[in-house]
Amino acid sequence: MRIAIVAPPFIAVPPKKYGGTELFVAELARGLQLQKIDVTVYTNGESTIDVPVRWIYPKSEWPLRSEVEATLKGLNHFSWAIKEAIKDADLIHVNSAPGLSFAKFTDIPMVYTVHHAYDAPLAEFYESYPEVSYVTISDFQRSKLSMPDMRTIYHGIDPSLYAVPDAKREYLSFLGRIAPTKGTHLAIEIAKKAGIPLKIAGEVQPINRDYWETQVKPHVDGKFIEYVGEVGLEEKVKFLGNSLAMLFPLQWDEPFGLVMIEAMACGTPVLALPGGSVAEIVKEGVSGHIRNTPAELAECAKNLKIPNQTVRNHMEKFFSVDRMTQDYIRLYSEILQDGVTEAEQIVA
């Protein structure tokens, strides 16, 4: 089985800091290789994943300078990648909409993992490619779409890269883009109501600069509310692992939220507002708590009683890279076996 995984060209695989899709690609590619699957990743030249990598753009570029430039660069990357992949691959797995547009130019089966929240124009675009096998990353996300061939496969990460510390420190954590939809301002509210210090980590993108300046930065005093900037994997593990709980006060319907399972891998419970995939990932009283208001989450923070190992065990059972990899191998095998069966029927 030869699998080509095509990532967007803008962020390295694995990401040095921000990059949910790229983290997924890295975890899946490594998982497939460990299962003796022949896998090649099409990404950019800064990627360091230890599997065969191909690229035409040597450098990452994030954040993107303009939508038009991003679209053209993406199309150029995906058209090249698909052209190269069809020479060797049995199946092509794309992870961004521009790649999907080349499905009609090849008979090689294509899988597309939908990484974004519901978007009506994109949903209509996907329906133009019924021959593609779509993977949604939560049942919530799948419920919004209507393509004929869909299944949910939850993301997974490698537990060995994350450690559960012997003891927690007295602070709450927030990890994610500093943006209204992520609810950074609500994380601050929760921490203040709970009387527990908060450490914030994440990227401030240009589009959210005003939000940072008006709703977050004025509360950052370096003591009770601390901003530590962006964090790589090693820093992230310490940041999440040492915290009492990670706050996830979303203000939109996020389709998955990798940071939730990263926190769980560190034995850190997630305190979340409801919406999107949250109820599928956070098991009440086992890996965290879901409440309707910041005040209720503040009470949860003050009265945490979930053992660290219980949180970690939940993550290992439902959100490990081994489970995710096996789910994708099962999908690839079904698709390729169907193709063989159809070919045999034609010959017969």
Side-chain angles (χ1 to χ4, degrees):
M1 188 187 298
R2 298 168 300 175
I3 306 299
I5 303 180
V6 189
F10 309 112
I11 298 174
V13 174
K16 296 176 182 178
K17 292 183 178 178
Y18 174 80
T21 298
E22 291 72 23
L23 176 59
F24 158 79
V25 169
E27 295 282 12
L28 178 59
R30 280 192 292 252
L32 291 172
Q33 188 177 64
L34 287 173
Q35 294 298 316
K36 310 303 182 184
I37 303 294
D38 184 344
V39 58
T40 301
V41 174
Y42 294 80
T43 171
N44 67 48
E46 291 186 350
S47 298
T48 57
I49 183 173
D50 191 21
V51 304
V53 170
R54 304 198 66 184
W55 49 270
I56 55 172
Y57 290 107
K59 299 289 185 180
S60 299
E61 183 184 346
W62 191 265
L64 299 170
R65 287 180 291 183
S66 75
E67 186 174 341
V68 171
E69 182 181 16
T71 300
L72 294 176
K73 187 173 182 178
L75 284 170
N76 190 40
H77 164 78
F78 277 101
S79 64
W80 161 81
I82 300 300
K83 181 181 178 182
E84 292 298 309
I86 61 178
K87 298 176 183 177
D88 303 307
D90 298 314
L91 183 146
I92 300 172
H93 184 166
V94 297
N95 292 275
S96 186
L100 190 64
S101 62
F102 298 96
K104 296 186 186 300
F105 293 89
T106 176
D107 293 328
I108 292 179
M110 185 175 287
V111 168
Y112 177 88
T113 297
V114 185
H115 291 281
H116 58 81
Y118 176 77
D119 180 271
L122 278 176
E124 183 178 355
F125 174 68
Y126 297 157
E127 291 172 4
S128 300
Y129 298 87
E131 68 275 19
V132 171
S133 295
Y134 293 86
V135 175
T136 55
I137 54 180
S138 64
D139 289 338
F140 172 84
Q141 183 192 51
R142 182 159 55 94
S143 71
K144 301 291 184 180
L145 300 170
S146 57
M147 291 83 78
D149 184 3
M150 289 191 297
R151 73 176 65 188
T152 295
I153 299 179
Y154 292 129
H155 283 337
I157 56 177
D158 183 354
S160 70
L161 300 178
Y162 300 81
V164 179
D166 294 331
K168 298 288 188 178
R169 292 168 57 189
E170 192 69 17
Y171 71 87
L172 302 171
S173 57
F174 173 93
L175 176 60
R177 285 183 295 110
I178 313 303
T181 55
K182 296 288 187 178
T184 318
H185 61 294
L186 296 178
I188 294 171
E189 180 183 341
I190 293 165
K192 288 184 174 181
K193 289 181 181 297
I196 303 173
L198 172 68
K199 295 182 185 293
I200 300 170
E203 177 189 27
V204 182
Q205 296 178 352
I207 192 173
N208 294 313
R209 177 59 59 177
D210 182 65
Y211 171 73
W212 159 257
E213 292 289 345
T214 60
Q215 297 193 53
V216 179
K217 187 177 178 181
H219 299 280
V220 175
D221 58 11
K223 296 178 181 179
F224 191 83
I225 306 295
E226 183 180 354
Y227 175 62
V228 301
E230 293 185 71
V231 291
L233 179 60
E234 185 176 346
E235 301 165 297
K236 184 192 302 182
V237 170
K238 293 178 181 178
F239 175 79
L240 291 173
N242 287 326
S243 69
L244 295 172
M246 189 196 75
L247 305 181
F248 201 69
L250 283 187
Q251 296 299 286
W252 72 305
D253 288 324
E254 185 149 353
F256 188 82
L258 269 166
V259 68
M260 287 192 282
I261 62 174
E262 289 187 297
M264 293 174 193
C266 298
T268 301
V270 177
L271 304 182
L273 293 176
S277 63
V278 168
E280 297 175 55
I281 300 171
V282 180
K283 186 173 182 180
E284 178 61 36
V286 175
S287 61
H289 297 292
I290 304 171
R291 295 293 185 270
N292 292 318
T293 67
E296 291 174 308
L297 288 181
E299 288 300 313
C300 290
K302 289 190 291 184
N303 297 284
L304 282 171
K305 297 178 181 179
I306 305 174
N308 299 344
Q309 195 58 49
T310 298
V311 179
R312 168 73 175 221
N313 291 346
H314 178 76
M315 175 267 151
E316 289 183 348
K317 182 176 181 180
F318 295 101
F319 302 109
S320 73
V321 68
D322 290 341
R323 190 274 311 150
M324 177 181 74
T325 301
Q326 290 302 325
D327 286 348
Y328 273 102
I329 291 175
R330 190 175 300 111
L331 170 62
Y332 299 157
S333 299
E334 289 175 9
I335 293 170
L336 294 174
Q337 185 58 45
D338 285 346
V340 170
T341 301
E342 290 176 7
E344 290 174 345
Q345 290 174 347
I346 291 172
V347 172

